[in-house]
Amino acid sequence: MAEQPCDLGIIGLTSVGQCVAAHFAQSDQRVCVGDDDQSFVPEVVRAYQQQTEQDSWKDDGLVPSSKCMVPSRELPDVIIRVKRPRKIAVFGTFANDAKFLEIWNQIAPQLEEGDTVLRWGREEEGQYETNIQQYNKSIVTQLSKTYTERGINLLEMVRLDMDRTAIWSDLNASNAYMVGGPEEAFATMQPYMAPFVTHVGLVGTDAACVHIARVLQHTVENCIGQAFAEGMDLMAKAAGFDHTDIGRTFNKWNTEGDSGGRLTSYLLKASSRIMYKRDNITKQGFVIDYIREVNNITETDTFVYESSIRFGVPTPCINAALEARLFCNMKEERIEASEKLKVPSGADTPSVLKEQMCADLQSSIYCTILVIFAECFTLFQAIADRESWDVNIQECMRLWNVTGSFLNSKLLDAMHKAYKSQDEDPQSILLLPDLASELEALHMSWRRTVTVCFASAVPIPTLSAALTHYDMRRTPKLPIGMLQSQRDFFSGCGYERNDQPAGKIFSSCWTADHTKQEQRKAKGCTKPPVKRKRKADK
């Protein structure tokens, strides 16, 4: 009698891999298990069988299914034993592409059209922002380009980074994953993720999409943090607020009203608490004043800057936040410059009404955060269009906003609802009717804030660059004509006219010398005339 085929294949008997295998085996589904260390497989199966036999007498719903976990003799055996179309989950290869590739090379010859392989994401708690992979280096994406033609589906699963305390205070909060790959394959594997993942969603039809979404999550966090830092600096320098005043203001923004203010968020709450934290080492002052002004720049930080140029998407606000961090590493140069480049002080600086300034600043940061999200999502869509992927911006918003996420905010929730209400995806989230009306109502507060900062010599690169983005986007005609004219003036490279078909090049004779040059060209003279030397010159 032929052996009954298995429903699911598990490769990689990590603690999570064993839990997944045991869960479905106890649900009377046959699960074939394997590991790169095959000597470990019989031990795991034997322990499972002993446990199910011990629990079989208990009235707790467990089914005595000791025969439902099937050991494999070698990794290809896992594929052979699972019924078609096969469903395979690979564990223990997070941030280890070499190990995944080694496993893949063993199982790939047995895979057939319709089979799905899921690479499970990070299983253990690690350090913040550890092993963020660049999307074009994803091994699953590279393999997909070859095996998709054979009808074999690959899924990449990436765990979202969360607040470190959420891991212990709310286990569900720390268990959110983004998935990238074919939509049909995700629907096939989702029932096998559901018992172990509280929040999961498909963010794109290619494995690379999850890596982009994770990088953008950290980019948004860095930029919002910079916006709050600039707000803190303005309150301290222009309004004379001390640490507790700033902390109190942040807390007010986070809690005002029955359901919180428009800036209610995890990052604002954290910023408020940071301002109150006194230094326990020196017993003097506040911790924030003792933090050294250094900032390491990683590939994650430069991804948007480089991609914006490559894909032709302007991201001035994000770039400004990055450049602000670069200035942090120039401490000695800034100290020297402060002694030679004097700034206005005393009577030369504008007087401000503190309450009005704080209200304007709150609106300014709110508008800036909208621009930050807009730049990230527009870039994400541009990359997807170039690569012929489908991305789900709504699902990114939902997953970034789960409890415990450092992007959790009232604004992101409102943004998700506004985006979800549209029949078609907008060119930018700034054009969503609800958000556009808010920007229109708040932009004068934004302008007053930037004006006060410039007059008070308080640098606000992120807030001002975001306002520049807003004005550039809403300006029908930009002054690029001057730049094109200058180039044509000195090189004759030409320009296109807006009243003529695209691609047709024109050039102007801007001076009498230009006219003479064109006349000589018309007569066939391509070389400049030779000037005769006069006797006096000799």
Side-chain angles (χ1 to χ4, degrees):
M1 182 175 179
E3 181 180 353
Q4 182 180 355
C6 296
D7 301 291
L8 176 67
I10 298 293
I11 296 177
L13 295 177
T14 61
S15 57
V16 177
Q18 293 181 45
C19 289
V20 173
H23 174 84
F24 290 105
Q26 289 171 350
S27 301
D28 231 13
Q29 298 188 49
R30 288 177 63 81
V31 181
C32 184
V33 297
D35 193 83
D36 55 340
D37 180 6
Q38 282 299 123
S39 63
F40 185 51
V41 175
E43 180 182 342
V44 172
V45 174
R46 187 164 49 251
Y48 165 76
Q49 291 174 342
Q50 292 174 355
Q51 185 64 38
T52 53
E53 290 171 359
Q54 291 175 6
D55 294 339
S56 61
W57 61 272
K58 298 178 182 178
D59 186 19
D60 55 7
L62 291 175
V63 179
S65 306
S66 59
K67 295 184 179 181
C68 284
M69 186 181 290
V70 181
S72 63
R73 294 183 295 274
E74 53 187 10
L75 290 185
D77 191 38
V78 175
I79 311 302
I80 296 171
R81 287 174 178 266
V82 177
K83 63 183 179 182
R84 302 176 182 85
R86 301 178 178 94
K87 297 178 281 291
I88 310 296
V90 180
F91 295 84
T93 66
F94 170 74
N96 192 341
D97 283 352
K99 183 177 180 180
F100 180 82
L101 186 59
E102 181 181 352
I103 292 173
W104 179 264
N105 289 336
Q106 295 182 60
I107 67 175
Q110 282 71 40
L111 294 171
E112 300 176 357
E113 183 177 356
D115 294 349
T116 298
V117 177
L118 167 67
R119 184 187 187 185
W120 202 276
R122 175 164 55 94
E123 303 163 37
E124 304 296 333
E125 299 304 331
Q127 291 183 338
Y128 170 80
E129 202 175 353
T130 299
N131 297 316
I132 295 183
Q133 189 174 45
Q134 298 300 303
Y135 81 95
N136 52 0
K137 298 179 182 178
S138 166
I139 187 64
V140 177
T141 295
Q142 295 172 17
L143 293 171
S144 295
K145 293 178 180 178
T146 301
Y147 287 90
T148 299
E149 298 177 356
R150 293 172 46 184
I152 298 172
N153 303 311
L154 286 93
L155 294 172
E156 180 89 272
M157 189 175 178
V158 170
R159 187 171 185 168
L160 282 166
D161 293 301
M162 298 285 183
D163 170 63
R164 56 179 176 173
T165 59
I167 299 169
W168 313 109
S169 61
D170 185 354
L171 295 179
N172 291 335
S174 63
N175 204 3
Y177 288 85
M178 299 180 293
V179 180
E183 189 173 354
E184 300 79 6
F186 173 74
T188 298
M189 296 301 294
Q190 189 174 14
Y192 297 99
M193 307 178 207
F196 304 93
V197 179
T198 306
H199 305 284
V200 64
L202 185 72
V203 299
T205 55
D206 191 275
C209 295
V210 294
H211 297 292
I212 297 175
R214 188 170 179 229
V215 169
L216 292 180
Q217 179 199 22
H218 285 272
T219 298
V220 171
E221 178 264 329
N222 284 331
C223 293
I224 295 176
Q226 175 65 25
F228 285 133
E230 292 173 15
M232 174 198 72
D233 203 31
L234 174 60
M235 285 187 280
K237 293 178 179 177
F241 281 18
D242 60 20
H243 293 69
T244 55
D245 292 332
I246 298 172
R248 192 179 301 112
T249 302
F250 281 160
N251 185 62
K252 179 183 178 182
W253 291 352
N254 194 58
T255 59
E256 62 187 9
D258 295 334
S259 57
R262 60 167 61 101
L263 282 179
T264 299
S265 63
Y266 167 87
L267 286 174
L268 183 56
K269 181 179 180 180
S271 301
S272 174
R273 294 187 175 183
I274 287 169
M275 295 308 301
Y276 285 111
K277 183 63 177 177
R278 292 188 173 275
D279 185 50
N280 291 327
I281 297 178
T282 63
K283 307 300 181 182
Q284 296 179 359
F286 297 82
V287 172
I288 192 171
D289 295 325
Y290 291 94
I291 297 177
R292 190 182 300 276
E293 294 181 46
V294 292
N295 212 307
N296 295 326
I297 305 298
T298 66
E299 284 187 339
T300 301
D301 301 310
T302 60
F303 169 78
V304 171
Y305 181 83
E306 295 171 354
S307 298
S308 66
I309 299 173
R310 179 182 174 190
F311 294 96
V313 177
T315 56
C317 183
I318 295 173
N319 296 346
L322 173 62
E323 289 163 0
R325 295 169 63 190
L326 294 176
F327 269 106
C328 287
N329 297 328
M330 300 170 58
K331 181 69 172 180
E332 294 182 0
E333 291 92 334
R334 287 186 286 116
I335 292 175
E336 181 180 357
S338 67
E339 298 173 352
K340 298 179 181 180
L341 304 176
K342 301 301 181 180
V343 298
S345 60
D348 294 330
T349 59
S351 58
V352 296
L353 298 174
K354 295 183 179 181
E355 292 186 4
Q356 180 64 54
M357 190 202 73
C358 289
D360 287 343
L361 179 59
Q362 181 185 19
S363 299
S364 304
I365 294 176
Y366 178 84
C367 296
T368 298
I369 294 174
L370 283 177
V371 172
I372 292 168
F373 277 110
E375 290 183 353
C376 281
F377 288 137
T378 302
L379 178 61
F380 195 1
Q381 188 64 60
I383 297 173
D385 292 343
R386 178 81 62 87
E387 301 288 353
S388 299
W389 304 329
D390 291 330
V391 294
N392 193 335
I393 301 298
Q394 290 185 39
E395 199 66 355
C396 276
M397 293 179 180
R398 183 184 71 84
L399 293 171
W400 287 356
N401 201 35
V402 299
T403 303
S405 168
F406 43 70
L407 294 185
N408 178 258
S409 65
K410 186 178 178 181
L411 171 57
L412 191 52
D413 183 55
M415 195 184 304
H416 179 247
K417 291 178 180 177
Y419 199 99
K420 191 175 181 179
S421 64
Q422 300 300 302
D423 296 330
E424 297 182 359
D425 294 343
Q427 293 181 345
S428 169
I429 62 170
L430 301 181
L431 304 181
L432 291 170
D434 293 345
L435 302 183
S437 61
E438 284 194 288
L439 287 168
E440 186 177 0
L442 299 175
H443 76 96
M444 287 308 299
S445 295
W446 200 358
R447 298 182 194 284
R448 285 194 295 269
T449 298
V450 172
T451 300
V452 168
C453 289
F454 285 171
S456 304
V458 178
I460 50 163
T462 309
L463 297 181
S464 58
L467 180 57
T468 298
H469 177 123
Y470 174 75
D471 282 334
M472 293 281 281
R473 180 169 288 278
R474 54 175 289 280
T475 301
K477 183 174 177 60
L478 295 172
I480 189 66
M482 174 57 76
L483 178 61
Q484 299 285 14
S485 300
Q486 290 168 348
R487 290 178 175 177
D488 184 58
F489 187 99
F490 64 74
S491 68
C493 61
Y495 51 84
E496 296 184 41
R497 292 178 61 92
N498 54 28
D499 59 351
Q500 298 293 325
K504 189 175 181 180
I505 304 300
F506 295 83
S507 182
S508 294
C509 295
W510 302 96
T511 67
D513 288 339
H514 293 157
T515 303
K516 292 178 182 179
Q517 183 184 31
E518 292 301 318
Q519 291 173 347
R520 285 195 295 268
K521 287 182 179 179
K523 294 178 181 180
C525 300
T526 57
K527 295 182 179 180
V530 178
K531 291 185 178 181
R532 292 179 177 272
K533 291 186 177 181
R534 295 177 300 176
K535 293 183 178 181
D537 295 336
K538 293 181 181 180

